[in-house]
C-alpha cells in the first residue's frame, strides 16, 4: 500500500473528512517521511499525530519501537490497516496535551537506550507541544518535527533577529536547533496555505546556563510580553518585589545598557539577569 498516493489516501479516508481543527494535512511526498525518520533516528520513537500512518511506517522501518499518539478516533481503524505489517508500533488514542509524557516514556520505552520524538506536528499547537515535550525533562535525545516555515525561522533565529522571540529563547535553554530542509505545500493533502520546514532540536544533557529556572522563565516571559518596551519597563511588571530603579541597576550591573530591549538578549544574558535578580536584597 502506497500511502503517498492521492488515490490511496482518498480511498482510506472514505467518508472521513480531513479535520481542519486537528491540523490534518497528510504527507504525500515519498522522500520527506524517510528523511524525517533518518534524521530523527533513535531506538524508541514517540510520534505525535500519525494521521493515516505515512510517517509512522517509515519510523517503524527504522526504530525498534514506535508509539504514536493520535487524537482523532476516526483514524484508528485506518491505522489498524496501514500499520498491520509492523509489530513494533503502538497507537494511543489521546490528546498529546493531556498525556503524561514522562509516564508514557517510562512505561513504553523501558527497553530502548535512546528515545526521540518525530512528528509532522499539527500546526495549531506547535509551541505548546514543543514546550510540553521540553519541560517534561524526559531526556529525549532529539525532537525532529515538521513546522510552519515561519516557525522554523523563528526557532533558529539568533538574538536580535526580527523573528527572535520568547519561544526561541525558551527553546534555547533546552536544545540546539537546526533547520534541516524546506517542504513545499504541495507535499501535503489537502494542500495547506503555508510552506513548511523540518527542524531538529538536539537536547542538551545539561542546561547551557546555571540559574533558577523559575526566575529565568519569568524574565524571558516578561521581556517579550511587551515587545517595544525596554527590558526594565517590561520586567517591572513581572518582578514585583524589586523597585524599578533597582531593576535598572541590576541590568546595568550585568553589563547591559539601561535602555536595552529583551529581544536583543540571548539565553546567557537572560540567565545573568535572572541570577542578579535572585541575588538582590533590598
Ligand atoms: N503524521 C501524519 C502525516 O505526516 O501525514 C499526519 C500529520 S497531520 C499534520 C497532524 C496529525 O496530528 C493529525 O493526524 C491530527 O489528527 C493529529 N493531532 C491533532 N491534534 C492532536 C493532539 N492534540 N494530540 C494528538 N494528535 C493530534
Amino acid at each position: 500500500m502506497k500511502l503517498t498516493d492521492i488515490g490511496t489516501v482518498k480511498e482510506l479516508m472514505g467518508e472521513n473528512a480531513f479535520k481542519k481543527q486537528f491540523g490534518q494535512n497528510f504527507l504525500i511526498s515519498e522522500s520527506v517521511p524517510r528523511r524525517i525518520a533518518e534524521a530523527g533516528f533513535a531506538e524508541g520513537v514517540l510520534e505525535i499525530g500519525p494521521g493515516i500512518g505515512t510517517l509512522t511506517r517509515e519510523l517503524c522501518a527504522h526504530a525498534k519501537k514506535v508509539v504514536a499518539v493520535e487524537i482523532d478516533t476516526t483514524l484508528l481503524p485506518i491505522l489498524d490497516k496501514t500499520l498491520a505489517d509492523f509489530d513494533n508500533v503502538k497507537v494511543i488514542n489521546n490528546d498529546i496535551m493531556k498525556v503524561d509524557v514522562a509516564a508514557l516514556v517510562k512505561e513504553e520505552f523501558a527497553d530502548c537506550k535512546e528515545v526521540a520524538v518525530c512528528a509532522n506536528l499539527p500546526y495549531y499547537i506547535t509551541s505548546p507541544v514543543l514546550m510540553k515535550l521540553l519541560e517534561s525533562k524526559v531526556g529525549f535525545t532529539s525532537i525532529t518535527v515538521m513546522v510552519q516555515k515561519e516557525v522554523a525561522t523563528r526557532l533558529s533565529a539568533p538574538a536580535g533577529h526580527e523573528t527572535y522571540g520568547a519561544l526561541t529563547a525558551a527553546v534555547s535553554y533546552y536544545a540546539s536547533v537546526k533547520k534541516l530542509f524546506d517542504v513545499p505545500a504541495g507535499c501535503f493533502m489537502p494542500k495547506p496555505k503555508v510552506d513548511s520546514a523540518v527542524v531538529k532540536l538536539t537536547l542538551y544533557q545539561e542546561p547551557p546556563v546555571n540559574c533558577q529556572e523559575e526566575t529565568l522563565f519569568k524574565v524571558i516571559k516578561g521581556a517579550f510580553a511587551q515587545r517595544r518596551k525596554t527590558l526594565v519597563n517590561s520586567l517591572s511588571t513581572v518582578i514585583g518585589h524589586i523597585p524599578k530603579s533597582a531593576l535598572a541597576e541590576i541590568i546595568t550591573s550585568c553589563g547591559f545598557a539601561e535602555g536595552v530591549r529583551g529581544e536583543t538578549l540571548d539565553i546567557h544574558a537572560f540567565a545573568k539577569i535572572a541570577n542578579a535578580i535572585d541575588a538582590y536584597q533590598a
Side-chain angles (χ1 to χ4, degrees), residues 19 21-28 33 36 47-56 69-72 75 92 94-99 119-125 129 146 188-189:
K19 297 194 179 70
Q21 76 270 29
F22 290 151
Q24 289 181 354
N25 300 97
F26 298 156
L27 274 166
I28 49 164
I36 296 175
E47 186 190 6
I48 295 149
I52 59 168
T54 316
L55 173 60
T56 324
V69 178
E70 173 57 60
I71 196 170
D72 184 0
L75 295 176
I92 295 175
N94 206 344
D95 175 348
I96 189 64
M97 295 311 293
K98 294 188 182 147
V99 171
N120 171 13
L121 283 180
Y123 293 169
Y124 74 104
I125 45 166
V129 168
M146 176 99 68
F188 301 88
M189 181 182 172

Side-chain angles (χ1 to χ4, degrees), residues 190-229:
K191 189 174 163 181
K193 288 198 181 76
V194 293
D195 284 328
S196 303
V198 174
V199 289
K200 180 172 181 177
L201 280 58
T202 303
L203 278 81
Y204 298 126
Q205 305 276 333
E206 295 289 332
V209 291
N210 198 356
C211 62
Q212 293 283 339
E213 270 180 31
E214 199 188 329
T215 317
L216 176 71
F217 283 101
K218 213 182 218 183
V219 170
I220 292 175
K221 209 171 156 196
F224 290 97
Q226 294 144 309
R227 233 182 135 80
R228 261 170 273 282
K229 280 198 174 182

